Amino acid sequence: MNQKDARYLALSDGSTFIPIGANICFPRLISKETDVLAYYDHYFRQLAANGGNFTRIWLSVPLFEVENKEAGKYDVQQAERIDKVLALAKKYTIRVKFCLEHFRKITNSPAPFPSSVPFDRPVYAADIATMEDFFLTEKGKKRYLDRVDFFAKRYGNNPTVFGWELWNEVNAVNVKDKEMLLKWTQEMLVEVKKRLPRQLVMQTLGSFDSEAATELYRHYSQLPQNQLAQAHRYLDTGAALAICQAPMDELGSDAVRTLKRFSPDKPVILSEVGGVEPHHAGPLKLYEKDSLGILLHDLLFAPFFSGAAAPGQSWHWDYYLEKNSLWWHFGRFSEAVSRFDPVVEKAESFVDTLSNQLKLYGLRGTKTTLLWLRDGAVNWKTELAEGQPARVISGQQLTASLKNARKVSFYDPWENRWTQGTISPEGKINLPDFSRSLIVKLEK
């Protein structure tokens, strides 16, 4: 945690850490160790070459699961595979958030489709009959914590490990009494932190897509022991909340600003975000048309410029990012924020609407203010679903939002180009021509 500003993160030397990256949770359709290492080497290289420094990995998938043959017995060969992936992450200066568990039933929950992973843990079936047994009984809790102990001894002092997530989307597990999951989370956050005091510990919930989910996020994000306020949210035309069908920038910004209201003194991160077919039936089919990465651009920029501690962290690392060769977007985000430290600047986020349908997302600092302008006339519906090209914004003016601003520069993330501008005595700024979005940097 950042000791100077609890809303942001820091490395052990105290420097501000902005985790820039995507979920690369598991290789799909890969079994050989050499292929696993080649897979992560490729992904880490692509990410690091574009300014990325962070990823998330599930330890409970078959390729990494250490408790894979008998309950309470841990496979050292599996752990050595994790060691090698961590060594690759260190090579590329990428921090890793480990997700400890993801299963939803003890048995009879196989992989829903060939490139997915199973959602059960039959190795526990001999002495744990139901998920309620796992969460409520001392035997079930011991199973969980003994496994944590194994990982803590191996990785508890490894600086490449960013932190530990108790469970992927814990509210999705197969139990009737969801209240028990909150109580279990409260208990396990404390117990896991005891074992891993030098690393962050957190919990996650399923997609933030309904009023019921809103209340769950309120409760979980406000738990004192939950060190990050995280959200999963997807563009989903089947979701109950209308915001989940909105432009991607609004969808992401809303999730961040809601969590910031719930937990104003914690880092907020949109830790899973992307697009799905209705009701999470599969990856968004419009991904195939998004060869420019319009959705990725928005999900990266909107959360950070709405006050999150990080850009949005994409899901569908293979179906979308890799397939469409979109890693360069991480480089554009990194360049846009490279000389802006939100902690040093004591940044305060704000959102506004300007003329000509321009949306403004800003971070107002003491000496520097960074703005992200987004054209509200174009979005995933107009460009991807309807095939309309983005317009060129021309001849627009902006009023300087930083008192005593003396210098203004512009970064076009689509052209990877910085240009200089001028501020009139009245504080007016003439914007350069741009499409979709533009960064405006104001300095005293």
Side-chain angles (χ1 to χ4, degrees):
M1 306 296 285
N2 199 307
Q3 299 302 309
K4 297 177 181 178
D5 190 333
R7 302 170 302 163
Y8 290 95
L9 299 163
L11 299 176
S12 56
D13 64 3
S15 61
T16 303
F17 177 63
I18 300 173
I20 302 170
N23 290 272
I24 313 176
C25 292
F26 44 83
R28 301 184 192 269
L29 302 177
I30 287 178
S31 57
K32 294 181 181 178
E33 181 173 301
T34 53
D35 293 340
V36 172
L37 298 180
Y39 181 96
Y40 274 102
D41 186 84
H42 171 77
Y43 275 82
F44 288 169
R45 189 175 349 106
Q46 296 286 331
L47 186 57
N50 289 285
N53 57 20
F54 172 85
T55 195
R56 174 177 176 237
I57 293 175
W58 290 11
L59 290 176
S60 47
V61 298
L63 283 169
F64 297 133
E65 177 53 58
V66 295
E67 199 177 10
N68 57 350
K69 297 173 183 175
E70 181 182 347
K73 304 294 183 182
Y74 306 106
D75 188 334
V76 174
Q77 286 187 326
Q78 291 283 83
E80 289 172 349
R81 177 180 292 172
I82 299 168
D83 297 346
K84 292 173 183 177
V85 173
L86 264 185
L88 281 175
K90 180 181 178 181
K91 173 184 173 181
Y92 291 108
T93 321
I94 290 172
R95 263 74 179 187
V96 177
K97 177 170 66 177
F98 279 136
C99 180
L100 285 160
E101 283 290 7
H102 78 279
F103 68 93
R104 297 177 179 179
K105 294 182 179 181
I106 299 297
T107 57
N108 298 317
S109 188
F113 48 91
S115 60
S116 183
V117 295
F119 277 81
D120 58 14
R121 186 57 63 79
V123 72
Y124 290 156
D127 59 356
I128 297 177
T130 66
M131 292 300 291
E132 283 83 0
D133 288 345
F134 186 85
F135 285 105
L136 289 174
T137 68
E138 290 306 311
K139 180 184 293 185
K141 294 174 185 178
K142 187 174 186 302
R143 283 272 180 264
Y144 185 86
L145 290 173
D146 283 352
R147 186 167 168 274
V148 172
D149 285 334
F150 176 84
F151 288 128
K153 290 175 184 177
R154 203 169 188 101
Y155 307 121
N157 293 312
N158 190 325
T160 299
V161 179
F162 168 91
W164 301 84
E165 209 167 60
L166 300 188
W167 206 287
N168 176 67
E169 302 188 346
V170 69
N171 59 309
V173 302
N174 188 40
V175 298
K176 292 181 180 179
D177 179 12
K178 300 296 183 178
E179 189 66 26
M180 80 169 67
L181 302 176
L182 178 61
K183 294 177 181 177
W184 180 89
T185 293
Q186 290 174 301
E187 182 179 351
M188 290 302 125
L189 284 170
V190 174
E191 291 298 325
V192 174
K193 187 64 178 179
K194 286 179 186 177
R195 291 158 169 80
L196 294 156
R198 300 184 63 184
Q199 295 152 339
L200 297 173
V201 177
M202 66 217 77
Q203 182 63 298
T204 61
L205 296 167
S207 195
F208 190 175
D209 60 6
S210 66
E211 290 297 337
T214 302
E215 289 309 301
L216 281 177
Y217 271 98
R218 184 194 305 275
H219 293 312
Y220 277 80
S221 66
Q222 291 177 347
L223 292 175
Q225 304 85 0
N226 197 5
Q227 292 187 277
L228 297 185
Q230 300 186 116
H232 292 185
R233 175 171 276 179
Y234 287 83
L235 171 59
D236 176 5
T237 57
L241 288 182
I243 192 66
C244 295
Q245 291 103 50
M248 182 62 83
D249 61 298
E250 296 177 15
L251 174 158
S253 177
D254 175 80
V256 167
R257 288 184 290 127
T258 301
L259 285 191
K260 282 173 65 66
R261 288 195 298 271
F262 293 162
S263 302
D265 297 321
K266 281 185 185 181
V268 169
I269 295 180
L270 190 55
S271 57
E272 259 191 41
V273 57
V276 293
E277 289 299 289
H279 308 291
H280 292 261
L284 185 69
K285 291 179 181 177
L286 288 176
Y287 279 158
E288 295 180 7
K289 294 184 178 181
D290 193 16
S291 59
L292 290 177
I294 297 161
L295 292 167
L296 178 59
H297 173 83
D298 287 349
L299 69 84
L300 286 171
F301 280 80
F304 184 74
F305 280 83
S306 299
Q313 294 164 349
S314 176
W315 190 255
H316 298 131
W317 59 94
D318 42 12
Y319 290 120
Y320 179 45
L321 304 187
E322 178 68 11
K323 188 175 181 179
N324 291 356
S325 300
L326 297 177
W327 299 101
W328 58 273
H329 279 279
F330 294 94
R332 304 297 168 85
F333 175 85
S334 298
E335 177 61 25
V337 305
S338 60
R339 290 168 288 280
F340 182 84
D341 188 328
V343 174
V344 172
E345 291 289 344
K346 300 179 181 178
E348 294 295 337
S349 61
F350 62 100
V351 177
D352 201 357
T353 302
L354 309 177
S355 61
N356 200 20
Q357 294 182 268
L358 284 180
K359 294 178 282 189
L360 185 153
Y361 299 86
L363 294 169
R364 185 181 290 113
T366 54
K367 294 183 178 180
T368 305
T369 289
L370 208 58
L371 309 175
W372 179 57
L373 299 181
R374 181 64 167 94
D375 182 5
V378 297
N379 51 55
W380 67 268
K381 293 179 183 177
T382 62
E383 288 207 71
L384 302 180
E386 299 169 7
Q388 300 178 27
R391 63 177 180 167
V392 175
I393 303 291
S394 182
Q396 293 295 298
Q397 274 194 336
L398 184 70
T399 300
S401 58
L402 179 67
K403 187 177 180 180
N404 299 324
R406 292 290 180 265
K407 180 182 177 182
V408 62
S409 52
F410 310 104
Y411 177 63
D412 187 326
W414 297 94
E415 301 294 334
N416 195 24
R417 182 176 63 239
W418 283 97
T419 55
Q420 299 299 314
T422 58
I423 306 173
S424 75
E426 299 77 28
K428 298 296 183 181
I429 300 167
N430 292 319
L431 299 177
D433 293 354
F434 69 96
S435 289
R436 299 190 190 91
S437 60
L438 180 74
I439 297 294
V440 181
K441 186 175 185 180
L442 296 162
E443 299 172 84
K444 286 187 177 179

